[in-house]
Amino acid sequence: MIAVLGLGIMGSALARDAARAGVATVVWDRNPARGAELTSDNPTFATSVTDAVRDATVVVTMVADAD
């Protein structure tokens, strides 16, 4: 399972490609609305960073800052 934290241009593209390739994908963003365009690709939407990374074997962070 891959967790993608940050759904900007790069994070959402990576999450979309992983989900379309059949990789179990969990996504999270500070702004939940950012993942709206990914719903047809069937990722799992986490409500917190902790939930997103809990079972992940790979964690990708695509964030603009450390906050």
Side-chain angles (χ1 to χ4, degrees):
M1 177 185 302
I2 185 172
V4 179
L5 310 178
L7 297 175
I9 293 170
M10 292 177 64
S12 61
L14 189 143
R16 181 180 303 109
D17 289 347
R20 286 181 181 171
V23 177
T25 306
V26 178
V27 297
W28 176 86
D29 194 276
R30 288 181 281 205
N31 178 357
R34 280 195 140 168
E37 72 277 359
L38 298 175
T39 56
S40 63
D41 299 309
N42 296 318
T44 301
F45 292 89
T47 56
S48 70
V49 171
T50 303
D51 288 341
V53 302
R54 181 169 286 125
D55 297 320
T57 54
V58 175
V59 176
V60 178
T61 57
M62 293 285 186
V63 295
D65 56 44
D67 294 337

